[in-house]
Amino acid sequence: MDNILMVLMLIGALGVFSQWLAWRTRMPAIVVMSIIGLIAGPVLGLMDPQDDLGDLFRPLISIAVGIILFEGSLNLDFREIRGMRKPVFRIVTIGPLLAWISGSLAAHYVAGLSWAVAFVIGGIFIVTGPTVILPLLRQAKLKPRVAAVLKWEGVIVDPFGALIAVFSFEFIQFLTTESVEFSAVIMFLLASVVAAIIGVIFGYIIGWSFERGAVPEFLKSPVVLVTVITAFVVSDMIMHETGLLAVTVMGMTIANMHISSINDMRHFKENISILLISVIFIMLTASLERDVLLSIFDTDILMFILLMLFVIRPLTIFVSTIGTNLEFRERLLVGWIAPRGIVALTVSAYFASILIDAGYADAHIMTSLTFGLVFSTVLAHGFSIGWLSRKLGLSMDDKPGVIFVGSNKFSTSFAQVLQGLNIPVIITDASSSRLTHAKQAGVPHEHEEILSEQMEYQLDMTPYDFMLSVTEYDSYNTLVSSTFKPEYGKEKLYQLPLQADAGDSLSSVSHHISGTVLFSDDVTWTILNEKINDGFVFKKTLITKEYTYNDFLDDCDAEDILLVMMRQSGMLDFYSPEKQILIGEPGDLVISLAKPKPQNDSE
């Protein structure tokens, strides 16, 4: 027991550390997790989770994969793919079929596998699951169209990889073994339909009970989590590997019911999924044996991996999207990005043992082949997606963008200054009259309530790293901060300081729900807009070796307001009393709201 607890503690610590290290180094998280898992397992021998956890190993991974798939499918709202349904439909139907057939042929003729093993592994390799796709999409900041295609493919196709592998095995058993009847194949197909029905029923039960207040707020997340596990286990008991289909359908059902508490469930599941993805990658890579790693470098395996990367995947996408509205550059990126992940590893390990027991001796290389493809695609696609998407013009600007919630003279003028520095900006407001400032200034704007559900589909927030709530209403600013804190984090979510005389009486509001205070404790909405009316100007000051930051501070007037510092790297540091004092370095640009100079000033 003590040994199991120690291993679980080490797995969790390494998983979270991997995510933190990836954030600090700006490397793909899945790459960091894989490397740390290999170092902790086969390289240093600190642990072997499969051996240490024993019978708990596979159930833990299976349930974790089910939860991750549910979290991914919870984002599959059909409104997201308006105008994109044809290419998405083709890629999740024709694409997997082509990938299965071509991958199986390659496994037989190139990797030298028997037809039985080749068709099983060909089915497994059609998956590009959310465990690897979703982190890459967040990292690369892809434009909405291509991001939607990759996300839908990753989530929808994931369970079908396992199902196709099961179908291949059952069908081959029927063809080659007299004891297996065709009824077994029919039973598998029926079990898959039953799993989908279970997913729909469980999804509707959750949606119906939540909308009618049958479940209190504090129990909603636990109820969802337990229901997901129940749907997965019940379906898996009927037929192995159908649980993944059940939880995927369940998530899609809830997502398209448009229930009001959907965002709370998403935030909870995202936090759970990040932890589970980290833990599972560490567990799987740390459990690999050294001979498995060395066998990856066999010529047949390397040739198969190269064929999957550079021929089969691009060909599959280009053929399946013929006649769709996907541009050539979009098809090129989608045809390259196809990292395999947890589902491929877990299903492959399961079928390797099953096939070996059934007498297919060549199945012993399935684990090596799978890990070789997983690790190769994780490395190749993890490091190339950002570079390639920028080259093809399919990623957002590298500079951090800013959303201004609330249109007024100050926010419009400030956004105009940032826009002049090529920083993506947008102003949102529910009032058309207040947006007049933004319209006249030519600043990008959105006439929509930022807190409405429709806003999620009206505005792609990917380009915007910071959100500034700058309305005149303290309570509204605080509500916006509280709503978007799970997505942005407090360090990138700002709001104006409370106005003591505004009548909101929010001085006792917990800092846990409010955003970071902007600029200074006494620089309120009223003061900022009064200064604009009094002729204060936005001043941009470049810090150099000759003109230091201290020189700049000495030259500032007592009424000047320091707004933001644009670092030489392009990052933004907003001034705030809640942060440590900013120190400018040569190359940094300081933007301030400065008192106008007297007209008789010679300068």
Side-chain angles (χ1 to χ4, degrees):
M1 176 64 73
D2 290 342
N3 184 52
I4 291 178
L5 289 175
M6 180 65 70
V7 171
L8 289 174
M9 178 275 293
L10 188 58
I11 291 170
L14 290 177
V16 175
F17 172 73
S18 300
Q19 291 279 5
W20 176 84
L21 186 61
W23 169 72
R24 290 293 298 178
T25 59
R26 302 180 72 84
M27 289 178 63
I30 47 180
V31 174
V32 178
M33 289 184 286
S34 299
I35 293 173
I36 287 182
L38 290 175
I39 293 174
V43 176
L44 298 180
L46 297 177
M47 61 177 174
D48 183 352
Q50 187 167 2
D51 183 58
D52 296 331
L53 299 178
D55 293 338
L56 288 174
F57 182 78
R58 297 213 175 280
L60 285 175
I61 289 182
S62 296
I63 291 176
V65 171
I67 294 171
I68 292 167
L69 262 182
F70 172 76
E71 189 274 323
S73 62
L74 205 58
N75 295 296
L76 299 183
D77 192 310
F78 288 114
R79 293 177 295 184
E80 184 185 33
I81 53 171
R82 288 171 181 163
M84 294 286 291
R85 295 197 178 190
K86 186 175 181 180
V88 169
F89 178 77
R90 293 270 198 89
I91 287 174
V92 301
T93 53
I94 300 174
L97 180 63
L98 293 175
W100 177 30
I101 295 172
S102 54
S104 301
L105 293 173
H108 177 71
Y109 288 110
V110 178
L113 298 177
S114 63
W115 282 114
V117 179
F119 269 93
V120 170
I121 205 167
I124 294 170
F125 285 167
I126 70 170
V127 302
T128 61
T131 58
V132 283
I133 281 291
L134 298 182
L136 287 186
L137 296 183
R138 284 193 289 266
Q139 167 205 336
K141 297 175 71 172
L142 297 181
K143 289 186 176 179
R145 279 169 54 94
V146 69
V149 171
L150 287 170
K151 182 176 75 173
W152 276 73
E153 180 196 19
V155 177
I156 295 295
V157 175
D158 220 37
F160 287 107
L163 292 176
I164 288 177
V166 175
F167 173 77
S168 301
F169 178 71
E170 295 288 346
F171 192 71
I172 288 166
Q173 286 283 89
F174 163 71
L175 293 177
T176 59
T177 307
E178 294 181 1
S179 59
V180 178
E181 300 179 354
F182 187 68
S183 59
V185 179
I186 299 298
M187 283 300 296
F188 161 73
L189 297 175
L190 288 175
S192 300
V193 173
V194 170
I197 294 173
I198 289 174
V200 171
I201 292 173
F202 276 56
Y204 268 109
I205 289 174
I206 288 291
W208 180 87
S209 60
F210 281 19
E211 281 296 88
R212 281 157 181 77
V215 180
E217 285 296 326
F218 73 95
L219 276 181
K220 284 184 177 179
S221 292
V223 165
V224 171
L225 185 60
V226 171
T227 307
V228 170
I229 296 173
T230 303
F232 177 86
V233 172
V234 170
S235 299
D236 229 43
M237 289 173 65
I238 297 172
M239 175 66 72
H240 195 62
E241 299 301 340
T242 59
L244 298 178
L245 177 62
V247 296
T248 302
V249 173
M250 178 182 167
M252 287 184 64
T253 301
I254 295 174
N256 288 279
M257 289 179 70
H258 308 141
I259 63 178
S260 58
S261 54
I262 187 78
N263 284 330
D264 294 335
M265 281 191 283
R266 282 201 193 115
H267 297 324
F268 174 73
K269 290 293 175 293
E270 283 172 4
N271 294 333
I272 290 285
S273 292
I274 288 173
L275 179 61
L276 292 179
I277 289 171
S278 309
V279 166
I280 292 176
F281 259 95
I282 295 294
M283 288 174 66
L284 290 175
T285 52
S287 298
L288 291 171
E289 299 177 0
R290 293 183 184 181
D291 59 340
V292 172
L293 295 177
L294 294 175
S295 64
I296 293 172
F297 299 99
D298 291 348
T299 304
D300 291 346
I301 292 180
L302 289 175
M303 288 298 295
F304 173 77
I305 291 172
L306 291 174
L307 196 63
M308 291 291 289
L309 279 171
F310 296 102
V311 178
I312 292 176
R313 170 65 179 183
L315 188 64
T316 297
I317 294 300
F318 272 83
V319 171
S320 63
T321 55
I322 291 175
T324 67
N325 61 351
L326 274 186
E327 300 176 8
F328 174 79
R329 57 185 183 143
E330 292 173 328
R331 296 165 74 187
L332 191 64
L333 183 63
V334 175
W336 169 243
I337 301 300
R340 276 62 170 191
I342 291 169
V343 171
L345 281 172
T346 53
V347 176
S348 174
Y350 167 76
F351 276 104
S353 59
I354 296 293
L355 287 166
I356 290 173
D357 292 341
Y360 299 98
D362 57 333
H364 74 279
I365 72 166
M366 283 182 66
T367 303
S368 303
L369 200 64
T370 304
F371 184 75
L373 185 63
V374 168
F375 199 66
S376 299
T377 53
V378 163
L379 284 174
H381 301 150
F383 282 112
S384 66
I385 186 171
W387 174 84
L388 183 59
S389 60
R390 286 192 295 272
K391 287 292 183 182
L392 295 173
L394 294 174
S395 68
M396 304 297 183
D397 197 306
D398 281 342
K399 290 188 176 181
V402 181
I403 295 182
F404 289 86
V405 180
S407 178
N408 49 65
K409 290 182 179 180
F410 168 75
S411 61
T412 300
S413 302
F414 193 14
Q416 219 175 355
V417 173
L418 295 178
Q419 187 181 21
L421 296 171
N422 296 319
I423 294 172
V425 295
I426 192 166
I427 297 176
T428 70
D429 204 303
S431 168
S432 178
S433 61
R434 285 196 296 264
L435 279 172
T436 303
H437 301 295
K439 295 174 184 176
Q440 292 176 345
V443 175
H445 55 276
E446 188 70 45
H447 179 206
E448 191 69 57
E449 170 55 62
I450 190 73
L451 298 175
S452 70
E453 183 183 357
Q454 187 62 30
M455 189 66 169
E456 185 176 347
Y457 307 99
Q458 195 81 10
L459 174 65
D460 175 35
M461 296 188 179
T462 305
Y464 310 108
D465 300 80
F466 298 92
M467 179 177 286
L468 275 57
S469 296
V470 289
T471 74
E472 60 186 300
Y473 305 107
D474 294 334
S475 53
Y476 183 79
N477 292 338
T478 302
L479 181 58
V480 170
S481 297
S482 175
T483 302
F484 287 94
K485 187 169 289 187
E487 296 178 25
Y488 281 87
K490 184 169 181 176
E491 67 278 3
K492 293 188 177 181
L493 200 63
Y494 292 86
Q495 69 178 76
L496 292 176
L498 303 180
Q499 303 179 85
D501 58 347
D504 279 341
S505 300
L506 295 176
S507 57
S508 60
V509 169
S510 171
H511 289 290
H512 295 298
I513 66 170
S514 60
T516 304
V517 175
L518 264 175
F519 314 138
S520 175
D521 284 323
D522 56 355
V523 179
T524 63
W525 181 93
T526 302
I527 290 175
L528 288 169
N529 284 278
E530 281 180 353
K531 288 186 181 294
I532 296 294
N533 291 332
D534 291 342
F536 275 63
V537 295
F538 287 86
K539 181 180 175 183
K540 294 176 287 186
T541 306
L542 181 65
I543 306 302
T544 64
K545 290 182 179 179
E546 294 75 24
Y547 188 74
T548 66
Y549 187 62
N550 287 332
D551 294 333
F552 162 72
L553 293 178
D554 291 338
D555 290 343
C556 284
D557 188 89
E559 294 186 53
D560 290 355
I561 300 174
L562 303 182
L563 304 177
V564 65
M565 185 182 294
M566 182 177 174
R567 299 293 185 179
Q568 193 172 12
S569 62
M571 295 301 295
L572 296 179
D573 264 338
F574 288 91
Y575 284 86
S576 169
E578 297 184 27
K579 294 164 59 176
Q580 63 182 8
I581 298 174
L582 299 182
I583 299 175
E585 303 290 341
D588 294 344
L589 186 72
V590 181
I591 301 175
S592 58
L593 188 59
K595 188 176 183 179
K597 293 181 179 181
Q599 292 184 355
N600 60 354
D601 196 317
S602 59
E603 297 179 1

